[in-house]
Amino acid sequence: MFKSPMYDFGYDISDFYDVHDEYGTMEDFEELMAKAKELDIKIVLDFVPNHGSNESVWFEEALRGHEKYFDYFVWEDGVEDENGTLHPPNNWNSVFRKSAWEYREEVGKYYLHQFVIGQPDLNYRNPDVVEEMKNVIRFWLEKGVAGFRVDAISHLFEVDKELYGGKYPDEPISGQRLNDPEHYDYLTHIYTKDQDETFEMVYQWREVFEEMKEKDGLTRVMMTEAYSTPQDTMRYFGTEDREGAQMPFNFVLISDVNGDSTAAEIKYALDKFLTFKPIDKLANWVAGNHDNDRVASRFSPKLVDGINMIVLLLPGIAVTYMGEEIGMVNGYISWEDTVDPSGCNTDDPINYWKSSRDPERTPFQWSADKNAGFTTGDKPWLPVADGYEELNVEVQRMSERSHLNVYKALAELRTEATFRYGRYESVAFNSDVFAFRRWHNGEVYIIVVNFREDPHIIDFTYFENVEGHFEVILSNIQSSKNKGDLLEAQSVTIDGSESLVLKLVQ
């Protein structure tokens, strides 16, 4: 929500210390913070440390030759071929396709942008940049912000070119996308991602968080966004003597599985984070975000409640992207209406939608009113998804069985001791049915999700100390079972796409 020319949905920040005028003023922000405090709601902001904007004062000063700001960015000489034509310094590609280098005549050099051209990477090998970004953190924390979701953290550092004779080395070809050398996945990003110095910077930011805590006693949360190996993801937590992020985002439900996955693959994915995480840290679960297809579109509308049961009742922290609680689906966005650079940069009016993130970014659906009640303006930034007239908060609030009411019930259930402190065990009963047990001080819950349309009879006495009867606590909206129904533990029929929360009553 910072000041931005909006080439990438506000992730191209021209002033890290101000609010973008489309969203209001600093006074509006302060009013929001005051009201949130009154309601005991914590506000977390998106921190985008990897890059700025090519329309920022910093970048404009760099182009004028201001030495301090020139060193805020990553510059490199081009390479001349035998015909005297200038080419980028090396083969690095942008996440959004094409070269990660852009030439500026004003200084006769290329600057690095791992994302869009309008997002020049910041140079964290410059101590001035390190201190500047710590000051950005302090500025917002002093306004009462309770922490940050840290964007694209794995890209923060590039390799130290001094280790390679003063030139940034080419990245190796990955073996993927061999017919598309401009695609990000054409290369293996060993020099531009997951560098050791990135983790050290996260630990330094945590020290800033703690410095603020000493002043006012408020614990700030840091959530890091990185699609990395489990081993690298765990490094964000910290080391034996350094604290890092409390929440290195766990994206397994996005990156590792989808609607085609078997129950065994779901179990394997969920067990991964719990296996690798330090024993004294909390797991977290993320099923959707603004960069990936919605849960209802990636899995199935019938599995919305089941995925929410998994996210909210597994041990640890639940993270919900707006709209997943009501089961929003991807919206159709025409080529003409597409604004996401990830889609636009394909230069492909037919297949652009496969790369665009706009479908999962459509306006939140409050009601059946114009623009789904999202805005009184004539036209929102993106068109509202089809079907909003039936799929919205107002309809679901008034329906006895709705995704929203299942979600509310789950949010309440997760405050119980069994889900806060209880042990966890999971099993794939067959290729379709995944279940897990949570137990604490004699209370036992079983959560079961059938990922396919075929019914199965499941013997839950497979779980140790599970025998007798279950009471149905919660069922997905398509289920024929009702709250309070009693089921025999050794023979429960799980219908197609059914999801249940069961409590052992002996």
Side-chain angles (χ1 to χ4, degrees), residues 343-364:
C344 296
N345 284 359
T346 61
D347 302 325
D348 183 347
I350 307 299
N351 297 305
Y352 69 92
W353 60 273
K354 294 176 184 176
S355 299
S356 177
R357 298 165 301 176
D358 287 339
E360 58 264 22
R361 297 178 174 185
T362 56
F364 187 76

Side-chain angles (χ1 to χ4, degrees), residues 228-247:
S228 302
T229 63
Q231 292 90 334
D232 276 339
T233 300
M234 299 311 145
R235 293 176 72 187
Y236 289 106
F237 273 124
T239 63
E240 281 184 14
D241 55 355
R242 306 281 299 283
E243 288 291 337
Q246 297 99 329
M247 289 173 61

Side-chain angles (χ1 to χ4, degrees), residues 18-201:
D18 205 359
V19 176
H20 188 56
D21 53 10
E22 242 177 24
Y23 302 137
T25 64
M26 189 62 82
E27 289 69 35
D28 294 325
F29 177 78
E30 286 162 356
E31 192 182 325
L32 169 75
M33 292 301 299
K35 187 66 179 175
K37 188 173 183 180
E38 189 185 309
L39 297 169
D40 196 25
I41 292 173
K42 302 289 188 288
I43 302 288
V44 175
L45 295 184
D46 217 338
F47 179 46
V48 189
N50 180 69
H51 43 262
S53 161
N54 64 355
E55 294 185 22
S56 66
V57 170
W58 297 349
F59 196 78
E60 286 167 359
E61 286 298 309
L63 294 180
R64 290 195 187 100
H66 191 309
E67 193 176 343
K68 176 183 173 177
Y69 291 109
F70 183 83
D71 289 340
Y72 267 37
F73 304 98
V74 179
W75 300 95
E76 191 62 285
D77 293 321
V79 178
E80 262 190 40
D81 64 19
E82 61 274 13
N83 302 319
T85 306
L86 201 60
H87 296 277
N90 62 21
N91 72 345
W92 294 357
N93 281 344
S94 152
V95 172
F96 295 145
R97 293 180 52 79
K98 307 177 183 176
S99 176
W101 297 98
E102 182 73 5
Y103 186 69
R104 289 307 293 242
E105 281 183 7
E106 297 93 327
V107 293
K109 287 181 184 286
Y110 285 83
Y111 67 86
L112 177 69
H113 59 91
Q114 289 203 55
F115 293 86
V116 299
I117 287 169
Q119 293 169 315
D121 272 46
L122 292 168
N123 174 20
Y124 278 84
R125 297 195 183 278
N126 175 359
D128 288 348
V129 168
V130 171
E131 194 53 35
E132 181 85 61
M133 298 313 278
K134 285 180 181 176
N135 285 336
V136 169
I137 293 171
R138 291 183 184 106
F139 177 83
W140 293 101
L141 295 187
E142 281 169 358
K143 288 191 176 289
V145 168
F148 291 100
R149 173 252 186 204
V150 184
D151 177 72
I153 184 65
S154 57
H155 300 267
L156 201 67
F157 273 85
E158 299 71 48
V159 75
D160 185 352
K161 68 179 180 181
E162 299 312 321
L163 300 175
Y164 296 87
K167 292 283 179 191
Y168 288 113
D170 279 353
E171 292 194 313
I173 292 167
S174 67
Q176 298 178 46
R177 304 277 183 167
L178 287 173
N179 61 342
D180 189 2
E182 290 189 323
H183 197 283
Y184 186 65
D185 294 340
Y186 179 74
L187 303 171
T188 301
H189 306 288
I190 58 173
Y191 299 129
T192 53
K193 268 191 81 186
D194 301 315
Q195 303 300 305
D196 288 342
E197 297 92 332
T198 296
F199 302 100
E200 165 61 27
M201 190 52 53

Side-chain angles (χ1 to χ4, degrees), residues 171-401:
E171 292 194 313
I173 292 167
S174 67
Q176 298 178 46
R177 304 277 183 167
L178 287 173
N179 61 342
D180 189 2
E182 290 189 323
H183 197 283
Y184 186 65
D185 294 340
Y186 179 74
L187 303 171
T188 301
H189 306 288
I190 58 173
Y191 299 129
T192 53
K193 268 191 81 186
D194 301 315
Q195 303 300 305
D196 288 342
E197 297 92 332
T198 296
F199 302 100
E200 165 61 27
M201 190 52 53
V202 168
Y203 308 156
Q204 289 188 32
W205 290 339
R206 178 63 185 270
E207 286 165 6
V208 176
F209 279 40
E210 295 309 309
E211 165 197 312
M212 296 299 298
K213 183 180 179 178
E214 283 173 21
K215 290 183 183 177
D216 61 13
L218 175 64
T219 298
R220 269 77 176 188
V221 67
M222 195 191 312
M223 313 167 184
T224 49
E225 182 215 21
Y227 293 85
S228 302
T229 63
Q231 292 90 334
D232 276 339
T233 300
M234 299 311 145
R235 293 176 72 187
Y236 289 106
F237 273 124
T239 63
E240 281 184 14
D241 55 355
R242 306 281 299 283
E243 288 291 337
Q246 297 99 329
M247 289 173 61
F249 275 147
N250 171 19
F251 290 128
V252 292
L253 284 167
I254 294 173
S255 57
D256 292 23
V257 293
N258 57 33
D260 297 326
S261 301
T262 64
E265 287 164 341
I266 298 286
K267 172 178 164 53
Y268 185 68
L270 295 175
D271 286 350
K272 191 194 293 187
F273 197 91
L274 293 171
T275 302
F276 280 94
K277 81 169 183 66
I279 201 161
D280 60 340
K281 303 295 184 190
L282 288 172
N284 68 82
W285 311 96
V286 186
N289 62 20
H290 66 303
D291 288 331
N292 293 279
D293 293 332
R294 287 196 167 278
V295 165
S297 299
R298 207 168 357 106
F299 288 92
S300 152
K302 292 180 180 177
L303 290 171
V304 165
D305 297 331
I307 297 295
N308 281 335
M309 286 175 186
I310 289 170
V311 169
L312 273 82
L313 299 183
L314 284 173
I317 304 161
V319 181
T320 301
Y321 175 50
M322 66 90 190
E324 305 295 14
E325 74 278 32
I326 61 171
M328 280 177 63
V329 297
N330 282 3
Y332 168 73
I333 311 292
S334 69
W335 170 248
E336 291 71 28
D337 283 334
T338 294
V339 289
D340 179 27
S342 202
C344 296
N345 284 359
T346 61
D347 302 325
D348 183 347
I350 307 299
N351 297 305
Y352 69 92
W353 60 273
K354 294 176 184 176
S355 299
S356 177
R357 298 165 301 176
D358 287 339
E360 58 264 22
R361 297 178 174 185
T362 56
F364 187 76
Q365 293 159 206
W366 289 104
S367 68
D369 296 341
K370 179 186 171 183
N371 297 325
F374 179 78
T375 176
T376 53
D378 287 336
K379 191 181 175 194
W381 193 67
L382 285 170
V384 178
D386 293 338
Y388 73 88
E389 296 88 352
E390 289 78 40
L391 202 169
N392 62 64
V393 171
E394 197 169 65
V395 165
Q396 293 195 20
R397 269 191 183 138
M398 293 188 291
S399 307
E400 197 179 331
R401 296 189 90 147

